[in-house]
Amino acid sequence: MSVTDKIAARLPRVMDRGERPPVVAAVRLHGVITPQSSPVARNTISLQNVESAINRAFDNERLIAVALLINSPGGAPTQSALIAERIRELATKKHVPVLAFCEDVAASGGYWLACAGDEIYAHGTSLVGSIGVVSAGFGLNGLLDKAGVERRVYTAGENKVRLDPFQAEKPEDVEWLKGLHADLHEQFKAWVTERRGAKLSAEADLFSGEVWTGSKAQQLGLVDGIGTIRSVIAKRFPDAELTIAEPRKPLLAKLGFTGASTRSGDLVTQVLASVEERARWSRFGL
């Protein structure tokens, strides 16, 4: 026996590449979907802050599937679409299935994300659906009147300041917003129909904005089954290793700093954003 062989015999045996277990990589998509984050809000989802985690999940040489862990009451439709499109792009490129798991809530934009999966699972108590469009704001013109403050806005273009929260609401602006909602709703419906197809039940109006439990959502074809990520993966891929890809956060963001200005206007905006984010979760008792 050569010296090399003797040394090798004394070393702990290392598994050959072919003996290493396959990997199912999971990505957490938790929070309100928004292009902006706030130091006073909980977790938020945007393409910018989750793309690195999505890329890492798909960039594994032993990958056999990707799982999406979704817990979101929804939010910005464009960010929902951009994230879903990125997931589908990588799934096609890597030729791996994507399994989506609805946790507490996968509603509105959260369900848009779930539809990026080839299969969707939920807990029986999950809240799923809300296939609709909503926007909300605050009418602050009365507040300015009480404070004795006069707001002055100068524009080129008569529709430049539609629905300004510091001005009285105009009926024509509300009608414009309803038309915008209708357009976005059609795009949402088209995406769900494209991804779910014949699985969808004709029993109920699935596009009314209604929310269902995971058990009812399965009956309606909004999800494929009831189960958690560990129970489903253990059954579908019993030899696989489950890894979690978390979105990376800058150190200052972890400490609650964003580098944003502390001007009073910015602070008001952040507080209102936090109230809006809180309201989205509160709709589902969370």
Side-chain angles (χ1 to χ4, degrees):
M1 179 182 291
S2 67
V3 175
T4 302
D5 291 337
K6 290 180 180 179
I7 294 175
R10 292 177 178 271
L11 294 175
R13 184 173 179 273
V14 179
M15 295 178 67
D16 295 332
R17 181 182 296 269
E19 295 177 324
R20 298 169 69 189
V23 167
V24 174
V27 181
R28 291 193 187 278
L29 300 175
H30 285 198
V32 171
I33 304 167
T34 174
Q36 299 177 332
S37 60
S38 166
V40 293
R42 292 198 280 183
N43 292 336
T44 57
I45 303 171
S46 68
L47 181 61
Q48 181 180 7
N49 65 24
V50 302
E51 186 172 24
S52 62
I54 293 171
N55 290 341
R56 291 199 310 274
F58 280 95
D59 190 27
N60 190 304
E61 61 183 8
R62 294 180 285 131
L63 188 69
I64 57 171
V66 168
L68 308 176
L69 296 171
I70 299 169
N71 199 3
S72 174
T78 301
Q79 290 299 313
S80 303
L82 289 173
I83 295 168
E85 288 169 8
R86 181 58 177 157
I87 292 169
R88 293 313 313 160
E89 176 187 350
L90 290 171
T92 300
K93 180 180 179 181
K94 298 293 185 176
H95 305 288
V96 294
V98 176
L99 281 61
F101 294 88
C102 307
E103 297 189 337
D104 298 279
V105 180
S108 195
Y111 186 68
W112 192 310
L113 296 179
C115 286
D118 299 295
E119 300 173 21
I120 304 176
Y121 295 89
H123 191 275
T125 61
S126 299
L127 298 179
V128 179
S130 190
I131 304 172
V133 181
V134 63
S135 60
F138 299 89
L140 303 175
N141 53 306
L143 179 62
L144 294 184
D145 292 339
K146 290 182 179 179
V149 177
E150 179 185 357
R151 178 170 167 79
R152 297 172 180 174
V153 181
Y154 308 97
T155 69
E158 61 183 86
N159 297 322
K160 190 64 177 178
V161 288
R162 287 186 189 272
L163 299 173
D164 186 322
F166 295 99
Q167 296 182 7
E169 186 178 72
K170 299 178 182 178
E172 59 268 29
D173 290 349
V174 175
E175 287 304 309
W176 167 82
L177 183 61
K178 289 181 178 179
L180 192 65
H181 283 181
D183 187 2
L184 292 171
H185 195 198
E186 288 301 317
Q187 294 184 50
F188 195 173
K189 289 159 60 176
W191 168 247
V192 174
T193 302
E194 174 190 340
R195 296 298 301 159
R196 300 299 296 171
K199 296 179 180 180
L200 297 175
S201 170
E203 176 185 330
D205 182 1
L206 303 181
F207 305 127
S208 67
E210 185 60 89
V211 179
W212 293 275
T213 64
S215 297
K216 184 62 176 179
Q218 181 185 20
Q219 298 174 25
L220 297 174
L222 294 172
V223 304
D224 295 287
I226 301 300
T228 64
I229 182 172
R230 297 200 179 276
S231 65
V232 172
I233 296 303
K235 182 177 180 180
R236 293 283 300 278
F237 308 103
D239 299 324
E241 172 187 341
L242 180 62
T243 65
I244 307 293
E246 297 276 5
R248 290 194 177 111
K249 293 183 179 179
L251 177 60
L252 290 180
K254 293 179 181 179
L255 297 176
F257 298 98
T258 63
S261 169
T262 56
R263 293 177 304 173
S264 60
D266 293 332
L267 180 60
V268 170
T269 300
Q270 291 178 0
V271 171
L272 292 179
S274 179
V275 171
E276 177 68 22
E277 186 247 9
R278 180 66 260 169
R280 287 185 181 275
W281 286 106
S282 297
R283 289 180 56 220
F284 305 101
L286 299 172

mmCIF file with all atom_site columns, all heavy atoms in Angstrom, residues 57-71:
data_model
loop_
_atom_site.group_PDB
_atom_site.id
_atom_site.type_symbol
_atom_site.label_atom_id
_atom_site.label_alt_id
_atom_site.label_comp_id
_atom_site.label_asym_id
_atom_site.label_entity_id
_atom_site.label_seq_id
_atom_site.pdbx_PDB_ins_code
_atom_site.Cartn_x
_atom_site.Cartn_y
_atom_site.Cartn_z
_atom_site.occupancy
_atom_site.B_iso_or_equiv
_atom_site.pdbx_formal_charge
_atom_site.auth_seq_id
_atom_site.auth_comp_id
_atom_site.auth_asym_id
_atom_site.auth_atom_id
_atom_site.pdbx_PDB_model_num
ATOM 1   N N   . ALA A 1 57 ? -31.674 29.822 -4.260 1.00 0.00 ? 57 ALA A N   1
ATOM 2   C CA  . ALA A 1 57 ? -32.472 28.598 -4.193 1.00 0.00 ? 57 ALA A CA  1
ATOM 3   C C   . ALA A 1 57 ? -32.348 27.790 -5.479 1.00 0.00 ? 57 ALA A C   1
ATOM 4   O O   . ALA A 1 57 ? -32.234 26.548 -5.436 1.00 0.00 ? 57 ALA A O   1
ATOM 5   C CB  . ALA A 1 57 ? -33.936 28.945 -3.927 1.00 0.00 ? 57 ALA A CB  1
ATOM 6   N N   . PHE A 1 58 ? -32.369 28.469 -6.610 1.00 0.00 ? 58 PHE A N   1
ATOM 7   C CA  . PHE A 1 58 ? -32.293 27.755 -7.887 1.00 0.00 ? 58 PHE A CA  1
ATOM 8   C C   . PHE A 1 58 ? -30.866 27.407 -8.291 1.00 0.00 ? 58 PHE A C   1
ATOM 9   O O   . PHE A 1 58 ? -30.662 26.632 -9.226 1.00 0.00 ? 58 PHE A O   1
ATOM 10  C CB  . PHE A 1 58 ? -32.941 28.600 -8.990 1.00 0.00 ? 58 PHE A CB  1
ATOM 11  C CG  . PHE A 1 58 ? -34.438 28.522 -9.023 1.00 0.00 ? 58 PHE A CG  1
ATOM 12  C CD1 . PHE A 1 58 ? -35.213 29.476 -8.377 1.00 0.00 ? 58 PHE A CD1 1
ATOM 13  C CD2 . PHE A 1 58 ? -35.077 27.486 -9.697 1.00 0.00 ? 58 PHE A CD2 1
ATOM 14  C CE1 . PHE A 1 58 ? -36.603 29.413 -8.411 1.00 0.00 ? 58 PHE A CE1 1
ATOM 15  C CE2 . PHE A 1 58 ? -36.460 27.406 -9.731 1.00 0.00 ? 58 PHE A CE2 1
ATOM 16  C CZ  . PHE A 1 58 ? -37.225 28.372 -9.087 1.00 0.00 ? 58 PHE A CZ  1
ATOM 17  N N   . ASP A 1 59 ? -29.876 27.967 -7.605 1.00 0.00 ? 59 ASP A N   1
ATOM 18  C CA  . ASP A 1 59 ? -28.484 27.764 -7.988 1.00 0.00 ? 59 ASP A CA  1
ATOM 19  C C   . ASP A 1 59 ? -27.828 26.692 -7.139 1.00 0.00 ? 59 ASP A C   1
ATOM 20  O O   . ASP A 1 59 ? -26.838 26.927 -6.456 1.00 0.00 ? 59 ASP A O   1
ATOM 21  C CB  . ASP A 1 59 ? -27.724 29.090 -7.876 1.00 0.00 ? 59 ASP A CB  1
ATOM 22  C CG  . ASP A 1 59 ? -26.340 29.005 -8.486 1.00 0.00 ? 59 ASP A CG  1
ATOM 23  O OD1 . ASP A 1 59 ? -26.148 28.175 -9.400 1.00 0.00 ? 59 ASP A OD1 1
ATOM 24  O OD2 . ASP A 1 59 ? -25.453 29.775 -8.052 1.00 0.00 ? 59 ASP A OD2 1
ATOM 25  N N   . ASN A 1 60 ? -28.399 25.491 -7.154 1.00 0.00 ? 60 ASN A N   1
ATOM 26  C CA  . ASN A 1 60 ? -27.848 24.364 -6.397 1.00 0.00 ? 60 ASN A CA  1
ATOM 27  C C   . ASN A 1 60 ? -27.704 23.184 -7.343 1.00 0.00 ? 60 ASN A C   1
ATOM 28  O O   . ASN A 1 60 ? -28.667 22.783 -8.014 1.00 0.00 ? 60 ASN A O   1
ATOM 29  C CB  . ASN A 1 60 ? -28.771 24.009 -5.221 1.00 0.00 ? 60 ASN A CB  1
ATOM 30  C CG  . ASN A 1 60 ? -28.134 23.025 -4.260 1.00 0.00 ? 60 ASN A CG  1
ATOM 31  O OD1 . ASN A 1 60 ? -27.721 21.937 -4.649 1.00 0.00 ? 60 ASN A OD1 1
ATOM 32  N ND2 . ASN A 1 60 ? -28.052 23.411 -2.990 1.00 0.00 ? 60 ASN A ND2 1
ATOM 33  N N   . GLU A 1 61 ? -26.520 22.630 -7.403 1.00 0.00 ? 61 GLU A N   1
ATOM 34  C CA  . GLU A 1 61 ? -26.253 21.551 -8.372 1.00 0.00 ? 61 GLU A CA  1
ATOM 35  C C   . GLU A 1 61 ? -27.021 20.272 -8.078 1.00 0.00 ? 61 GLU A C   1
ATOM 36  O O   . GLU A 1 61 ? -27.200 19.436 -8.959 1.00 0.00 ? 61 GLU A O   1
ATOM 37  C CB  . GLU A 1 61 ? -24.747 21.260 -8.415 1.00 0.00 ? 61 GLU A CB  1
ATOM 38  C CG  . GLU A 1 61 ? -24.174 20.789 -7.095 1.00 0.00 ? 61 GLU A CG  1
ATOM 39  C CD  . GLU A 1 61 ? -22.668 20.573 -7.148 1.00 0.00 ? 61 GLU A CD  1
ATOM 40  O OE1 . GLU A 1 61 ? -22.063 20.933 -8.168 1.00 0.00 ? 61 GLU A OE1 1
ATOM 41  O OE2 . GLU A 1 61 ? -22.122 20.033 -6.169 1.00 0.00 ? 61 GLU A OE2 1
ATOM 42  N N   . ARG A 1 62 ? -27.510 20.135 -6.836 1.00 0.00 ? 62 ARG A N   1
ATOM 43  C CA  . ARG A 1 62 ? -28.269 18.924 -6.484 1.00 0.00 ? 62 ARG A CA  1
ATOM 44  C C   . ARG A 1 62 ? -29.769 19.194 -6.391 1.00 0.00 ? 62 ARG A C   1
ATOM 45  O O   . ARG A 1 62 ? -30.518 18.397 -5.850 1.00 0.00 ? 62 ARG A O   1
ATOM 46  C CB  . ARG A 1 62 ? -27.751 18.375 -5.153 1.00 0.00 ? 62 ARG A CB  1
ATOM 47  C CG  . ARG A 1 62 ? -26.322 17.864 -5.213 1.00 0.00 ? 62 ARG A CG  1
ATOM 48  C CD  . ARG A 1 62 ? -25.857 17.345 -3.872 1.00 0.00 ? 62 ARG A CD  1
ATOM 49  N NE  . ARG A 1 62 ? -25.548 18.424 -2.936 1.00 0.00 ? 62 ARG A NE  1
ATOM 50  C CZ  . ARG A 1 62 ? -25.993 18.496 -1.698 1.00 0.00 ? 62 ARG A CZ  1
ATOM 51  N NH1 . ARG A 1 62 ? -26.800 17.556 -1.218 1.00 0.00 ? 62 ARG A NH1 1
ATOM 52  N NH2 . ARG A 1 62 ? -25.659 19.496 -0.908 1.00 0.00 ? 62 ARG A NH2 1
ATOM 53  N N   . LEU A 1 63 ? -30.210 20.316 -6.944 1.00 0.00 ? 63 LEU A N   1
ATOM 54  C CA  . LEU A 1 63 ? -31.597 20.749 -6.815 1.00 0.00 ? 63 LEU A CA  1
ATOM 55  C C   . LEU A 1 63 ? -32.567 19.821 -7.556 1.00 0.00 ? 63 LEU A C   1
ATOM 56  O O   . LEU A 1 63 ? -32.345 19.484 -8.720 1.00 0.00 ? 63 LEU A O   1
ATOM 57  C CB  . LEU A 1 63 ? -31.730 22.165 -7.382 1.00 0.00 ? 63 LEU A CB  1
ATOM 58  C CG  . LEU A 1 63 ? -33.065 22.870 -7.165 1.00 0.00 ? 63 LEU A CG  1
ATOM 59  C CD1 . LEU A 1 63 ? -33.256 23.214 -5.692 1.00 0.00 ? 63 LEU A CD1 1
ATOM 60  C CD2 . LEU A 1 63 ? -33.128 24.144 -8.013 1.00 0.00 ? 63 LEU A CD2 1
ATOM 61  N N   . ILE A 1 64 ? -33.635 19.419 -6.881 1.00 0.00 ? 64 ILE A N   1
ATOM 62  C CA  . ILE A 1 64 ? -34.685 18.636 -7.544 1.00 0.00 ? 64 ILE A CA  1
ATOM 63  C C   . ILE A 1 64 ? -36.043 19.332 -7.462 1.00 0.00 ? 64 ILE A C   1
ATOM 64  O O   . ILE A 1 64 ? -36.972 18.970 -8.184 1.00 0.00 ? 64 ILE A O   1
ATOM 65  C CB  . ILE A 1 64 ? -34.808 17.216 -6.954 1.00 0.00 ? 64 ILE A CB  1
ATOM 66  C CG1 . ILE A 1 64 ? -35.080 17.268 -5.452 1.00 0.00 ? 64 ILE A CG1 1
ATOM 67  C CG2 . ILE A 1 64 ? -33.566 16.392 -7.262 1.00 0.00 ? 64 ILE A CG2 1
ATOM 68  C CD1 . ILE A 1 64 ? -35.418 15.909 -4.858 1.00 0.00 ? 64 ILE A CD1 1
ATOM 69  N N   . ALA A 1 65 ? -36.160 20.355 -6.613 1.00 0.00 ? 65 ALA A N   1
ATOM 70  C CA  . ALA A 1 65 ? -37.412 21.109 -6.507 1.00 0.00 ? 65 ALA A CA  1
ATOM 71  C C   . ALA A 1 65 ? -37.164 22.366 -5.693 1.00 0.00 ? 65 ALA A C   1
ATOM 72  O O   . ALA A 1 65 ? -36.231 22.436 -4.890 1.00 0.00 ? 65 ALA A O   1
ATOM 73  C CB  . ALA A 1 65 ? -38.516 20.281 -5.859 1.00 0.00 ? 65 ALA A CB  1
ATOM 74  N N   . VAL A 1 66 ? -38.032 23.365 -5.904 1.00 0.00 ? 66 VAL A N   1
ATOM 75  C CA  . VAL A 1 66 ? -37.991 24.601 -5.117 1.00 0.00 ? 66 VAL A CA  1
ATOM 76  C C   . VAL A 1 66 ? -39.342 24.768 -4.438 1.00 0.00 ? 66 VAL A C   1
ATOM 77  O O   . VAL A 1 66 ? -40.393 24.518 -5.044 1.00 0.00 ? 66 VAL A O   1
ATOM 78  C CB  . VAL A 1 66 ? -37.685 25.826 -6.001 1.00 0.00 ? 66 VAL A CB  1
ATOM 79  C CG1 . VAL A 1 66 ? -37.929 27.127 -5.241 1.00 0.00 ? 66 VAL A CG1 1
ATOM 80  C CG2 . VAL A 1 66 ? -36.235 25.771 -6.482 1.00 0.00 ? 66 VAL A CG2 1
ATOM 81  N N   . ALA A 1 67 ? -39.318 25.155 -3.179 1.00 0.00 ? 67 ALA A N   1
ATOM 82  C CA  . ALA A 1 67 ? -40.548 25.383 -2.421 1.00 0.00 ? 67 ALA A CA  1
ATOM 83  C C   . ALA A 1 67 ? -40.661 26.861 -2.068 1.00 0.00 ? 67 ALA A C   1
ATOM 84  O O   . ALA A 1 67 ? -39.661 27.507 -1.737 1.00 0.00 ? 67 ALA A O   1
ATOM 85  C CB  . ALA A 1 67 ? -40.553 24.535 -1.144 1.00 0.00 ? 67 ALA A CB  1
ATOM 86  N N   . LEU A 1 68 ? -41.870 27.389 -2.159 1.00 0.00 ? 68 LEU A N   1
ATOM 87  C CA  . LEU A 1 68 ? -42.144 28.773 -1.777 1.00 0.00 ? 68 LEU A CA  1
ATOM 88  C C   . LEU A 1 68 ? -42.957 28.769 -0.489 1.00 0.00 ? 68 LEU A C   1
ATOM 89  O O   . LEU A 1 68 ? -44.038 28.178 -0.440 1.00 0.00 ? 68 LEU A O   1
ATOM 90  C CB  . LEU A 1 68 ? -42.931 29.498 -2.879 1.00 0.00 ? 68 LEU A CB  1
ATOM 91  C CG  . LEU A 1 68 ? -42.354 29.444 -4.290 1.00 0.00 ? 68 LEU A CG  1
ATOM 92  C CD1 . LEU A 1 68 ? -43.303 30.122 -5.274 1.00 0.00 ? 68 LEU A CD1 1
ATOM 93  C CD2 . LEU A 1 68 ? -40.974 30.078 -4.350 1.00 0.00 ? 68 LEU A CD2 1
ATOM 94  N N   . LEU A 1 69 ? -42.430 29.404 0.555  1.00 0.00 ? 69 LEU A N   1
ATOM 95  C CA  . LEU A 1 69 ? -43.139 29.512 1.821  1.00 0.00 ? 69 LEU A CA  1
ATOM 96  C C   . LEU A 1 69 ? -43.790 30.883 1.862  1.00 0.00 ? 69 LEU A C   1
ATOM 97  O O   . LEU A 1 69 ? -43.122 31.893 2.083  1.00 0.00 ? 69 LEU A O   1
ATOM 98  C CB  . LEU A 1 69 ? -42.170 29.337 2.987  1.00 0.00 ? 69 LEU A CB  1
ATOM 99  C CG  . LEU A 1 69 ? -41.493 27.969 3.082  1.00 0.00 ? 69 LEU A CG  1
ATOM 100 C CD1 . LEU A 1 69 ? -40.402 27.990 4.146  1.00 0.00 ? 69 LEU A CD1 1
ATOM 101 C CD2 . LEU A 1 69 ? -42.517 26.892 3.387  1.00 0.00 ? 69 LEU A CD2 1
ATOM 102 N N   . ILE A 1 70 ? -45.094 30.939 1.638  1.00 0.00 ? 70 ILE A N   1
ATOM 103 C CA  . ILE A 1 70 ? -45.779 32.209 1.434  1.00 0.00 ? 70 ILE A CA  1
ATOM 104 C C   . ILE A 1 70 ? -46.645 32.561 2.636  1.00 0.00 ? 70 ILE A C   1
ATOM 105 O O   . ILE A 1 70 ? -47.472 31.768 3.088  1.00 0.00 ? 70 ILE A O   1
ATOM 106 C CB  . ILE A 1 70 ? -46.643 32.151 0.162  1.00 0.00 ? 70 ILE A CB  1
ATOM 107 C CG1 . ILE A 1 70 ? -45.749 31.889 -1.057 1.00 0.00 ? 70 ILE A CG1 1
ATOM 108 C CG2 . ILE A 1 70 ? -47.443 33.430 -0.016 1.00 0.00 ? 70 ILE A CG2 1
ATOM 109 C CD1 . ILE A 1 70 ? -46.514 31.552 -2.311 1.00 0.00 ? 70 ILE A CD1 1
ATOM 110 N N   . ASN A 1 71 ? -46.436 33.749 3.139  1.00 0.00 ? 71 ASN A N   1
ATOM 111 C CA  . ASN A 1 71 ? -47.271 34.284 4.214  1.00 0.00 ? 71 ASN A CA  1
ATOM 112 C C   . ASN A 1 71 ? -47.425 35.776 3.946  1.00 0.00 ? 71 ASN A C   1
ATOM 113 O O   . ASN A 1 71 ? -46.633 36.596 4.397  1.00 0.00 ? 71 ASN A O   1
ATOM 114 C CB  . ASN A 1 71 ? -46.613 34.047 5.577  1.00 0.00 ? 71 ASN A CB  1
ATOM 115 C CG  . ASN A 1 71 ? -47.613 34.165 6.718  1.00 0.00 ? 71 ASN A CG  1
ATOM 116 O OD1 . ASN A 1 71 ? -48.800 34.367 6.497  1.00 0.00 ? 71 ASN A OD1 1
ATOM 117 N ND2 . ASN A 1 71 ? -47.131 34.034 7.944  1.00 0.00 ? 71 ASN A ND2 1
#
